[in-house]
Amino acid sequence: MGCSLLRKSHRLGSSFCRLLYSNAVRVLSRYSTGFFGETLVTNIENEPVSRSFQELPRMPGLPLIGQLHQLLRDPLKLLSDAAKLGDLVVLRLGPYRAVLVNHPELARQVMVTSHRKVEKSSPVQRAGRALFGDGLLTSVGELHQRQRRLLQPSFSRSRIEGYGHDFVRIAAQHTATWQPGLKIDVPEEMTKLTLDIVGKTLFDVEVDEDSALIGELVDDVETLFRNAVLPFPELRKRLPLPSTRKLARARARLDAIVYRFIAQHRASRRDPSSLLACLLAARDEQTGEAMPDKQVRDEALTLLAAGHETSANALTWTLYLLSQHPQVQIQLQEELDAVLGGALPTARDFERLPLVRQVVSESLRLYPPAWLITLAATEELEVGGYQIPKDTLFFIAPWLLHRDARFFKDPLEFRPERWTGKSQDGMPKFAYLPFGGGPRICIGEHFALMEVALVLAVLLSRWRFELAKEAHVELLPALTLRAKHGLPMIIGAR
């Protein structure tokens, strides 16, 4: 039977692995109940002192694969169920051992206190390196620190304020042809918009002709991350599976686009202070040599993909929430009228639009684009009084922390007012992690916050958004938190 399945895998592609595990689930579920034994509930308030890893609560699962089938089927449900067992819970994902970290203090211990003992070397990051190379998202150690220092000036507050004009101009141009009654797919529109913004602000290139293709290719890349935790990654890379070939084609086409951007920059007098110009002008501290084109490509592709995807999803979910809370949408538009008086916003207006900022913060709480942070222990460390072995994966889920009643009152309610100054008093710092935390906190945090706020101001100054009747809202937790079936909306004039 194994040989038969392998022969079929050439035709069925990645479905081979899924078929194998679905069969295992049906067979093993007859014989396995609570394979990992009885579970214990641990709580950070009663933190033990130097206890063994074996004493941690464990999710019940199947022999060999543990909860891998559940992770592939519904990762949000798996993590939500695990969180009911405690603040540190052990998961078994086929060949991988993982620990769900579900308390702000424990998250701080992993990401800050023990940051030198963990790194982004989980299966997801290793799979990502196959596409993005050693860009900022996937690089580790000294290379990551050096590249972060190099890129940091492009994300300074003063530089981001300079980008504000482009945020607004591109958003206004993108929506200039909209008409009342037009039905749009919000994720698709926001992806095109944010791609144009990233292309202009960071690379000083126009990507409007490439935006549709890049969006499609990023969708293809999602396959990489959905299959990242499956066993035998090296073997699957060598098999002529349709998913493998599709990913290779996507990489080749993305490479062609990015290398064209690099060539255009070198051949013309473009903005010398753009991020791409900084990469091309960078010199090795010891040898004085320029950064190889491969490394420039890795950084550029990483920022192009990550820089538009998270913002597009943040805008998508914010517009969805506003469509479900029309009174908040009206209040926000009233603020825009009072502050802007019919004019387009500027970067200076960012601080003058408190409700806009509160709406964005609340949207990022309920629907964090980066819904899961994964790290790996490079050596044994202690978390919450437990000894965690080397090579253990850590799952820190903003999706769970942001919806935890211990840290947020009425956590499932959309309440922008919770982000007024005094309302945040007493909230643990690591209870809110839309951009991660610690030394690897997202370098584009302030860029994304201003971009989303100013684009939102442009959109709502002129339009109102209503969810289409046929909309089927379902979450797709992949590389980012997406809308599985798109999000059709009807736009209307105010």
Side-chain angles (χ1 to χ4, degrees):
M1 180 176 180
C3 293
S4 175
L5 283 175
L6 281 172
R7 286 194 297 270
K8 292 179 182 178
S9 70
H10 180 75
R11 184 172 64 256
L12 297 178
S14 61
S15 60
F16 162 66
C17 293
R18 297 183 184 278
L19 177 62
L20 178 63
Y21 286 116
S22 63
N23 287 338
V25 170
R26 287 195 297 270
V27 174
L28 294 174
S29 61
R30 303 175 189 172
Y31 307 101
S32 175
T33 55
F35 173 74
F36 286 107
E38 296 297 317
T39 59
L40 304 172
V41 177
T42 184
N43 192 294
I44 187 65
E45 279 75 16
N46 299 310
E47 182 179 306
V49 178
S50 192
R51 299 180 67 176
S52 165
F53 180 77
Q54 300 304 320
E55 298 180 71
L56 280 171
R58 284 163 163 70
M59 274 290 285
L62 299 173
L64 301 179
I65 64 173
Q67 297 82 38
L68 180 59
H69 61 295
Q70 295 171 272
L71 182 72
L72 294 172
R73 183 186 306 139
D74 192 344
L76 295 179
K77 184 178 186 304
L78 170 63
L79 297 181
S80 297
D81 289 344
K84 297 173 184 177
L85 301 182
D87 295 323
L88 286 174
V89 181
V90 178
L91 304 170
R92 186 74 185 184
L93 308 171
Y96 305 109
R97 175 182 59 234
V99 172
L100 173 65
V101 180
N102 194 43
H103 192 283
E105 170 56 23
L106 298 175
R108 186 194 66 79
Q109 289 179 24
V110 174
M111 291 193 285
V112 178
T113 306
S114 300
H115 76 90
R116 297 186 186 279
K117 299 180 180 181
V118 298
E119 64 180 27
K120 283 198 167 186
S121 61
S122 71
V124 172
Q125 272 75 36
R126 289 196 294 272
R129 198 167 290 128
L131 177 73
F132 298 114
D134 286 314
L136 197 64
L137 189 66
T138 53
S139 62
V140 297
E142 184 179 335
L143 174 62
H144 174 82
Q145 295 173 17
R146 185 170 67 250
Q147 296 301 97
R148 189 179 179 98
R149 287 194 301 269
L150 175 66
L151 298 175
Q152 192 66 60
S154 294
F155 293 95
S156 65
R157 287 184 180 272
S158 60
R159 186 67 177 156
I160 291 170
E161 288 179 0
Y163 298 146
H165 173 73
D166 288 319
F167 295 162
V168 172
R169 177 184 58 82
I170 293 172
Q173 289 177 348
H174 189 85
T175 58
T177 59
W178 287 5
Q179 297 293 328
L182 177 68
K183 182 188 295 184
I184 63 171
D185 180 55
V186 174
E188 181 180 344
E189 292 292 328
M190 295 304 104
T191 295
K192 292 177 181 176
L193 172 56
T194 55
L195 267 172
D196 287 347
I197 287 175
V198 168
K200 180 60 181 174
T201 56
L202 298 186
F203 305 119
D204 194 28
V205 295
E206 303 294 337
V207 299
D208 50 345
E209 295 181 359
D210 298 308
S211 60
L213 175 59
I214 294 173
E216 292 174 7
L217 295 175
V218 171
D219 288 343
D220 291 343
V221 170
E222 293 288 344
T223 304
L224 174 90
F225 294 92
R226 285 197 296 271
N227 295 337
V229 296
L230 292 175
F232 315 118
E234 294 302 319
L235 173 62
R236 285 186 289 107
K237 280 196 304 184
R238 290 176 172 81
L239 291 175
L241 304 175
S243 59
T244 304
R245 295 197 299 268
K246 186 176 184 180
L247 189 62
R249 288 194 299 269
R251 171 173 177 147
R253 297 177 78 180
L254 283 169
D255 279 355
I257 293 172
V258 172
Y259 281 122
R260 173 157 50 83
F261 291 167
I262 294 173
Q264 289 173 350
H265 234 278
R266 284 188 166 137
S268 61
R269 295 181 178 180
R270 297 182 180 270
D271 182 1
S273 62
S274 71
L275 182 142
L276 186 51
C278 292
L279 291 174
L280 293 173
R283 294 293 181 270
D284 186 275
E285 295 176 356
Q286 295 181 341
T287 67
E289 295 180 353
M291 185 183 296
D293 276 4
K294 171 63 167 60
Q295 187 63 45
V296 175
R297 171 263 184 207
D298 292 351
E299 299 297 347
L301 181 56
T302 295
L303 293 168
L304 182 66
H308 89 274
E309 174 81 358
T310 51
S311 296
N313 280 291
L315 284 163
T316 294
W317 292 118
T318 302
L319 291 173
Y320 166 70
L321 287 166
L322 290 173
S323 75
Q324 301 304 291
H325 299 83
Q327 188 56 41
V328 176
Q329 189 170 172
I330 291 172
Q331 292 171 356
L332 195 153
Q333 290 170 331
E334 289 174 347
E335 177 182 83
L336 294 172
D337 291 343
V339 174
L340 304 179
L344 288 174
T346 68
R348 293 180 180 179
D349 294 318
F350 179 73
E351 296 296 336
R352 302 171 59 211
L353 297 169
L355 183 56
V356 173
R357 299 199 311 275
Q358 291 163 20
V359 164
V360 172
S361 294
E362 182 69 346
S363 172
L364 291 172
R365 183 186 71 83
L366 285 169
Y367 295 97
W371 63 279
L372 181 65
I373 300 166
T374 59
L375 298 166
T378 57
E379 58 183 277
E380 184 179 83
L381 67 152
E382 182 175 308
V383 179
Y386 290 88
Q387 295 300 316
I388 309 298
K390 178 184 177 181
D391 296 327
T392 300
L393 303 180
F394 291 106
F395 287 176
I396 301 171
W399 169 264
L400 294 179
L401 291 171
H402 292 185
R403 292 167 173 251
D404 195 318
R406 293 176 293 177
F407 318 120
F408 298 96
K409 183 179 180 181
D410 300 320
L412 302 184
E413 297 294 323
F414 177 62
R415 293 189 176 180
E417 65 274 12
R418 76 171 80 238
W419 297 101
T420 56
K422 292 184 178 180
S423 300
Q424 299 176 52
D425 292 347
M427 182 185 75
K429 181 179 179 181
F430 281 73
Y432 184 65
L433 297 169
F435 298 97
R440 291 195 69 127
I441 191 169
C442 177
I443 195 172
E445 175 183 3
H446 299 299
F447 180 101
L449 287 173
M450 182 171 287
E451 176 190 15
V452 172
L454 291 182
V455 169
L456 195 64
V458 172
L459 298 179
L460 293 172
S461 291
R462 185 176 178 186
W463 306 104
R464 56 183 173 82
F465 293 81
E466 180 181 346
L467 192 67
K469 292 181 180 179
E470 71 272 17
H472 178 201
V473 182
E474 184 177 350
L475 297 172
L476 176 62
L479 176 59
T480 56
L481 191 64
R482 297 173 141 208
K484 186 173 184 178
H485 307 289
L487 207 61
M489 285 195 184
I490 308 297
I491 60 173
R494 290 183 51 198

